[in-house]
Amino acid sequence: DPVICDERSLLNAHLSLQGIQILSGDYHGVLHVNAERDDFVFLDPPYHPEDLDNDDYLYSQFRFGVRDQINLRIEFERLLSIGCKVVMTNSNTGFIRDLYHGFDQIVVDSCRRINSKTSSRKGEDLIIVPRKR
């Protein structure tokens, strides 16, 4: 019996977000036009599959493949270079770990809600942040 509309929580969120702009969209358009020094940017791209033959990463008719992941890595560095605070989540695969070598990578347990086999619902994700100096 989840509470769908918790008035107090909604009001608190409303008050906390005063003066905050939340943008959602393709990162190319949103970030190049809007990102500025001291902005907090959270990136949550389609996760890279361990098995490239696996179509689980087809979130839409558009693939987010290796080239897209590499381009996102370039954007991640660009955002840092202009003074943004950047955090990204992605899959814990060898490709992603290698791609973000040099950044702090925090492994977290995750639970997938969509899978016909309950044993396959557990996984690991990466949280990628700039290395602490």
Side-chain angles (χ1 to χ4, degrees):
D1 292 331
V3 176
I4 302 300
C5 184
D6 177 357
E7 188 174 342
R8 174 170 279 170
S9 293
L10 287 174
L11 179 59
N12 287 336
H14 167 76
L15 295 172
S16 296
L17 293 172
Q18 294 303 297
I20 302 295
Q21 182 180 20
I22 298 175
L23 303 172
S24 175
D26 179 84
Y27 74 91
H28 287 289
V30 170
L31 297 175
H32 276 281
V33 173
N34 297 289
E36 297 176 351
R37 179 175 191 77
D38 293 326
D39 282 353
F40 174 76
V41 178
F42 173 69
L43 299 168
D44 185 35
Y47 284 14
H48 185 77
E50 185 68 50
D51 175 6
L52 290 178
D53 293 329
N54 182 345
D55 281 347
D56 286 349
Y57 74 110
L58 297 178
Y59 293 87
S60 70
Q61 70 270 28
F62 306 106
R63 292 181 182 263
F64 196 89
V66 169
R67 173 58 40 205
D68 299 298
Q69 292 287 354
I70 292 169
N71 287 338
L72 184 59
R73 165 63 155 78
I74 293 166
E75 181 63 14
F76 189 93
E77 286 200 60
R78 187 191 76 79
L79 291 167
L80 292 172
S81 75
I82 65 171
C84 292
K85 297 163 184 68
V86 186
V87 174
M88 178 171 25
T89 57
N90 212 317
S91 54
N92 185 15
T93 65
F95 172 74
I96 296 298
R97 287 189 305 271
D98 290 345
L99 188 61
Y100 288 90
H101 176 78
F103 294 96
D104 283 343
Q105 301 176 16
I106 304 153
V107 177
V108 294
D109 291 331
S110 60
C111 180
R112 308 286 185 255
R113 298 281 182 219
I114 302 173
N115 197 310
S116 60
K117 299 177 189 171
T118 56
S119 63
S120 297
R121 290 184 184 172
K122 294 182 181 181
E124 292 182 340
D125 294 343
L126 284 181
I127 298 174
I128 302 163
V129 295
R131 182 148 287 162
K132 291 189 170 111
R133 299 181 192 261

